[in-house]
Amino acid sequence: MKKDSVEFKKRVFDLMNGSLDLEKYPVPESKIVENEYEEGKVCGVLYREVYYANRRVCEKLGVEEDSDVEIIIRNLLEIAEYQSLKMYDYGRTFS
């Protein structure tokens, strides 16, 4: 797989997010790329804060889920993915 392919970049991104089941589908890049959502890591701590803030907002609204809050979270995660893939491209360009 080419290192500038979308598939490769998404694999690295998914490894960083802990989205891949490495027991069922091990990939060689997992020896280098860390899951940034592991307990105690920055993304894990920040995401936990987002989760609990979302729960508090829903509680205040008296609902189990709020579609606007879900849209905000989903779109911010998609923005982060887009920027991560672009940053990867810039890293390859400038290296």
Side-chain angles (χ1 to χ4, degrees), residues 5-7 10 13 29 37 48 62 64 66 74 89-90:
S5 70
V6 171
E7 182 182 9
K10 285 194 172 274
F13 184 79
E29 296 83 11
Y37 283 80
R48 182 177 310 161
E64 188 63 32
D66 181 73
R74 185 178 59 246
D89 291 338
Y90 290 133

Side-chain angles (χ1 to χ4, degrees), residues 27-94:
V27 294
E29 296 83 11
S30 67
K31 293 178 181 166
I32 298 169
V33 180
E34 296 179 28
N35 176 354
E36 299 299 332
Y37 283 80
E38 286 180 349
E39 188 70 31
K41 290 203 162 217
V42 172
C43 292
V45 170
L46 293 171
Y47 192 80
R48 182 177 310 161
E49 289 181 27
V50 169
Y51 174 81
Y52 287 119
N54 178 30
R55 298 305 330 134
R56 289 190 302 273
V57 168
C58 289
E59 188 176 309
K60 289 175 190 174
L61 295 174
V63 296
E64 188 63 32
E65 273 187 12
D66 181 73
S67 61
D68 288 331
V69 172
E70 293 301 320
I71 289 169
I72 291 167
I73 293 170
R74 185 178 59 246
N75 286 352
L76 286 172
L77 290 172
E78 286 185 33
I79 289 168
E81 179 178 357
Y82 177 81
Q83 286 187 312
S84 295
L85 298 180
K86 291 294 286 186
M87 185 62 105
Y88 183 94
D89 291 338
Y90 290 133
R92 286 190 51 89
T93 298
F94 290 118

